Amino acid sequence: MSSLTSKRALFLINKEGTQVTLVKPVYGAYDPATGTVSSTTNTSYTVKCYFANYMLDEIDDSSIVHGDRRALIPYVDTSNNTLPEPDTEDTISGVGGTVKIKRVQKLFSGDTLICYICQVRE
């Protein structure tokens, strides 16, 4: 998938993708006296996502391990609202379970953001 084009990414997401939930934690105020956060809530976004396995030659058992996958997520949710950028605090639920985002790359066409390519792990 190293030669993934923006047109191919959109095709995979729209035609082959499945509906999942991107969950972003929202942290409350930090109390330096106790070293704790007052509360954590989650914000959920419904998105279409295309999952793809890594090729064997991409698995190095340090940054990419067996079982890791790519998750292609568009920059908008299913209601066409712009998503906040995914990060390593986020999870994706659906398609048989929940995975945690380990790394995020952006795919652009010119200056236009097309999607996020997330490395995910169970």
Side-chain angles (χ1 to χ4, degrees), residues 29-45:
Y30 175 74
D31 182 349
T34 63
T36 61
V37 174
S38 62
S39 65
T40 304
T41 58
N42 290 326
T43 303
S44 298
Y45 303 90

Side-chain angles (χ1 to χ4, degrees), residues 3 14 41 47-48 60 68 78 81-82 86 91 95 99 103 120:
S3 63
N14 293 324
T41 58
V47 298
K48 266 196 115 166
D60 60 11
D68 283 3
T78 55
N81 296 314
T82 302
T91 59
V95 193
V99 293
R103 186 170 39 184
V120 297

Side-chain angles (χ1 to χ4, degrees), residues 58-66 68 102-103 119 121:
E58 295 175 293
I59 298 170
D60 60 11
D61 288 328
S62 60
S63 61
I64 301 172
V65 300
H66 289 278
D68 283 3
K102 302 304 280 181
R103 186 170 39 184
Q119 177 185 349
R121 186 175 294 161

